[in-house]
Amino acid sequence: MSSTLIINAKVVNEGEVRETDVRIKGQRIEQVAPNLSVLPNEQVIDAQGAYLMPGMIDDQVHFREPGLTHKGSIATESLAAVAGGITSYMEMPNVSPSTTTIEALEQKYAIAAKNSAANYAFYLGATEDNLEQIKRLDPTKHCGVKVFMGASTGDLLVEHPEALDKIFRDSPVLIVTHCESGAVIAENRARLLESRSDFTIHDHPVLRDDKACYASSSYAVDLAKKHQSQLHVLHITTEKELSLFEAGPVAGKNITAEACVHHLWFSNQDYAEKGNLIKCNPAVKYQSDRDAIIQAIKTVRSILSRLIMPPILWKRSWLITTRHRQVCR
């Protein structure tokens, strides 16, 4: 079994940074200690004081296999993930055709078993009529069901109250949501069109405003509380939504949320320079929203750094960490 020794590294682990060595045998870390002796035929990597961190986990990636591999495949995007320090990922269902059946889900697992460079798990996409497929999900294998509670592609839009209630009632796995109210967005659109004939990029956070986000995310939280579901609200963008979540250790929590780096970096003031380059859904909002989310993350990072991990900011900054990482292969 091949052996590699990394020396002179600043190892980030278990809430601290310390200078030490790391020995790897095969695909596993065997020893973490200072001044390790070099074994016969062992490869030695001198980190020269660089930081050595555990691989990160990205809970929401959008690869494009099957159907759209000219944009990216499980092979190419998992390689990109590893190059950026992401060693496990959970991939979304909005491919072509959408991943809305167990059969389609298993096909993606089969592709990843052959081609993925990183650990993997895949979400099933919820529709308004695939509840029986959702019921068949295995909590020990499948990382969750993705519910688009706002405009999406194909049939991956679930807005009917009865369908949503049944999903939250019967899902055996984590429910992850994209939360924007289509009704509120339509109202905003009609209101703006009363005084103009078209929109500019500066209207994007007005069309998809805090009311649209809060109406949907609060609805999801209410459903999760009603049915004791495990809910993870993706990409929070507004200060108003933060009131729906509680900071603190994840133990015992069923309702969690996260923020994306682009919503922490940009605000509406950046549309003038960046234009459509920062157009996304949910929209980049206002500076007050960005600052409030950053402060929320700082608060939670401070709590977590005293408990289980160093305060690292990566692609997806967790407002409250979730427990579904274990199902990544």
Side-chain angles (χ1 to χ4, degrees), residues 236-257:
I236 293 294
T237 61
T238 72
E239 180 178 7
K240 189 173 184 179
E241 290 171 285
L242 295 175
S243 64
L244 298 170
F245 309 97
E246 298 178 2
V250 70
K253 289 184 181 295
N254 284 330
I255 300 173
T256 57

Side-chain angles (χ1 to χ4, degrees), residues 182-301:
V184 174
I185 293 172
E187 291 174 2
N188 291 338
R189 179 182 179 87
R191 175 173 49 82
L192 288 177
L193 286 177
E194 290 177 355
S195 58
R196 66 184 72 180
S197 60
D198 204 356
F199 302 110
T200 71
I201 186 59
H202 297 282
D203 295 316
H204 197 53
V206 181
L207 289 165
R208 296 174 176 269
D209 62 3
D210 59 348
K211 293 180 181 179
C213 293
Y214 185 84
S216 184
S217 55
S218 61
Y219 184 22
V221 168
D222 287 344
L223 286 172
K225 289 180 177 179
K226 175 183 177 181
H227 296 294
Q228 294 299 299
S229 315
Q230 189 179 359
L231 168 68
H232 185 59
V233 181
L234 300 168
H235 40 57
I236 293 294
T237 61
T238 72
E239 180 178 7
K240 189 173 184 179
E241 290 171 285
L242 295 175
S243 64
L244 298 170
F245 309 97
E246 298 178 2
V250 70
K253 289 184 181 295
N254 284 330
I255 300 173
T256 57
E258 69 178 30
C260 296
V261 166
H262 46 281
H263 293 124
L264 304 175
W265 188 263
F266 299 111
S267 74
N268 66 305
Q269 297 177 359
D270 295 297
Y271 284 118
E273 177 185 354
K274 303 296 183 182
N276 287 332
L277 292 175
I278 58 170
K279 183 180 181 182
C280 57
N281 299 331
V284 169
K285 301 292 197 300
Y286 300 93
Q287 185 169 340
S288 58
D289 295 305
R290 181 190 66 184
D291 293 347
I293 297 170
I294 290 174
Q295 184 56 49
I297 290 172
K298 286 181 177 178
T299 300
V300 175
R301 286 170 63 201

